[in-house]
Amino acid sequence: SDDLVWYMRNKHSGIVAVPEAFPHQPEDEFRRYATHLLGFVENADNVERDLHSALAGSLKRGPAIQGLALTALARRSDPDILEECFRLAYSREADKAVRRSAAVALGGLLKPGDTDDIRRLARMIRDRRNDSVQQHFAIMSLGQIGGKEAIDALVDLARQRVFGAAQDRGFVYLALGLCGAKSRTARELLMTEFRKVGSPDERASLAMALGLMRHRDAVPQTIKYLEKSNLASGRKYLAYGSLALGLHADPRGAKAVRKVFSTYSDVVVRRNSALGLILIEKDAAVPELMRVLKASGNNATRFAIVAAFADLHKPSDKIIDALERVYQDDSIGNEVRARAIAALGVLVDPRPIPVSAQ
């Protein structure tokens, strides 16, 4: 903790190893990493004091550091920070980066049953003076909190169509997907919207939300939309419809996901469809993906497959072995091999790393 506090407080351009190792890295990036990681340090009396100092601006490090100090204190469940989060979130004087961080922090501080405070958070979402990113973060915080009060607030946002843009509504759907699996009202609302919505982007958000819920009734409709999609008009649905079928882990989706993987070379579509296949077929999909990786001369395709392996929460020994074979293979591009090495570091030793690095 002492080292991290030092990095948060000081400039680092005088350390010879830093410019050599990270020639592209701005000095403030180290301060941001250190501030973020302090949220994970346990049993250190000085950490809260220094984070409060950073939040107060006494270190003169700017709004990015203040915002990260706020979320770090929330991660440490600091009870003194709740009212400060609300004050900053509603403040017209606070920088927008700090207001956004306050919206994120509230998702970690509030719990189901905190009725009054959840209502305050919901009012923040409806306040059109807040920028859209702050509103999106506040919506996802409701999804993180969960419980009846948060679900009711999200259902109201969806039913009243508070937001006109498909992207904004997509965040509401995703938040419901995170917390509404046991709510009949939330499941029925999402299924109704999924059947009638015409926008491919909105369909993608709904497919993901229903996948997060593991709502198996949505599988046939997800497959139907996927089979009708194409890269020109439905790139987002190709990517996230494939991943949604993976979240369902339903064998009915394997054929459609495999077709997307074999048809489109777009890196995001390839990564998500590869990941969908792994989630549906588990280790049985690995040999096929490795054959494609080896045979392809396209680094984007190789990168997409490695990224799919890396995105797994609990990789099997077979996937760890596959990543090891990738980084040991001199015939594969260095960028792809580096991604495999980074993936192994996170998967085998899953310590917290900065969000920007993820």
Side-chain angles (χ1 to χ4, degrees):
S1 63
D2 290 343
D3 289 340
L4 287 170
V5 168
W6 186 88
Y7 269 96
M8 182 175 70
R9 296 176 67 94
N10 293 279
K11 291 186 177 182
H12 315 300
S13 57
I15 303 176
V16 175
V18 170
E20 288 180 357
F22 304 98
H24 62 286
Q25 205 84 321
E27 284 181 8
D28 275 356
E29 193 75 0
F30 288 94
R31 294 192 180 115
R32 289 198 284 272
Y33 286 166
T35 309
H36 172 77
L37 287 168
L38 282 169
F40 297 95
V41 176
E42 298 178 357
N43 304 320
D45 295 336
N46 63 319
V47 169
E48 279 85 359
R49 180 196 65 220
D50 286 289
L51 286 171
H52 277 287
S53 294
L55 178 60
S58 62
L59 299 181
K60 302 187 189 311
R61 299 301 183 235
I65 300 300
Q66 288 179 290
L68 285 165
L70 195 64
T71 53
L73 285 164
R75 186 173 291 109
R76 299 176 65 80
S77 301
D78 187 324
D80 299 329
I81 207 67
L82 178 62
E83 286 305 318
E84 183 70 356
C85 281
F86 275 115
R87 185 188 72 77
L88 290 169
Y90 278 102
S91 171
R92 295 300 104 193
E93 287 74 37
D95 185 272
K96 64 181 179 181
V98 177
R99 297 201 304 270
R100 292 169 178 177
S101 294
V104 174
L106 287 166
L109 289 168
L110 299 180
K111 301 291 184 289
D114 293 341
T115 305
D116 292 342
D117 288 329
I118 289 172
R119 286 174 180 165
R120 291 166 74 187
L121 180 57
R123 286 197 296 273
M124 183 194 306
I125 296 166
R126 293 172 180 270
D127 189 339
R128 292 310 178 98
R129 293 174 299 173
N130 296 321
D131 74 284
S132 61
V133 176
Q134 182 181 348
Q135 290 175 314
H136 296 164
F137 286 169
I139 289 167
M140 296 310 291
S141 283
L142 283 176
Q144 182 181 349
I145 296 161
K148 184 180 184 306
E149 295 88 352
I151 292 171
D152 288 347
L154 289 166
V155 167
D156 284 345
L157 287 170
R159 281 179 172 167
Q160 296 169 19
R161 300 189 80 80
V162 171
F163 300 106
Q167 182 186 18
D168 298 328
R169 292 196 297 274
F171 279 93
V172 178
Y173 299 145
L174 287 168
L176 276 172
L178 286 174
C179 67
K182 295 181 179 179
S183 166
R184 181 178 177 180
T185 302
R187 293 197 309 272
E188 289 179 350
L189 184 149
L190 291 178
M191 275 302 301
T192 300
E193 292 295 318
F194 193 41
R195 289 190 182 103
K196 72 181 184 182
V197 74
S199 159
D201 285 2
E202 208 165 343
R203 283 179 180 173
S205 299
L206 284 159
M208 282 293 292
L210 290 160
L212 288 166
M213 286 182 166
R214 310 293 196 271
H215 191 356
R216 292 174 69 86
D217 291 350
V219 171
Q221 193 73 37
T222 308
I223 294 171
K224 179 181 175 182
Y225 285 148
L226 197 60
E227 291 173 340
K228 291 183 175 181
S229 296
N230 58 66
L231 201 59
S233 61
R235 175 179 178 269
K236 188 172 180 179
Y237 190 84
L238 286 170
Y240 292 99
S242 298
L243 183 53
L245 287 171
L247 292 174
H248 287 291
D250 191 314
R252 291 177 291 175
K255 181 181 177 181
V257 174
R258 180 172 277 103
K259 183 176 180 181
V260 170
F261 175 76
S262 62
T263 303
Y264 300 102
S265 59
D266 177 271
V267 67
V268 177
V269 173
R270 269 254 158 104
R271 182 195 68 206
N272 283 14
S273 54
L275 182 54
L277 268 181
I278 297 168
L279 292 171
I280 294 169
E281 298 186 344
K282 309 295 188 290
D283 282 354
V286 175
E288 176 185 353
L289 295 175
M290 286 298 291
R291 281 195 299 273
V292 173
L293 188 150
K294 284 288 291 180
S296 176
N298 184 333
N299 260 7
T301 294
R302 291 172 166 176
F303 194 92
I305 294 171
V306 171
F309 290 153
D311 283 339
L312 292 168
H313 180 56
K314 294 180 179 178
S316 65
D317 290 342
K318 199 164 188 174
I319 286 174
I320 296 295
D321 290 342
L323 286 167
E324 288 178 343
R325 293 202 303 275
V326 171
Y327 90 74
Q328 291 168 352
D329 190 336
D330 291 339
S331 69
I332 295 174
N334 282 343
E335 184 181 358
V336 178
R337 295 171 68 200
R339 183 69 179 88
I341 293 169
L344 283 166
V346 175
L347 295 174
V348 178
D349 185 8
R351 290 171 293 184
I353 59 174
V355 171
S356 54
Q358 292 177 347

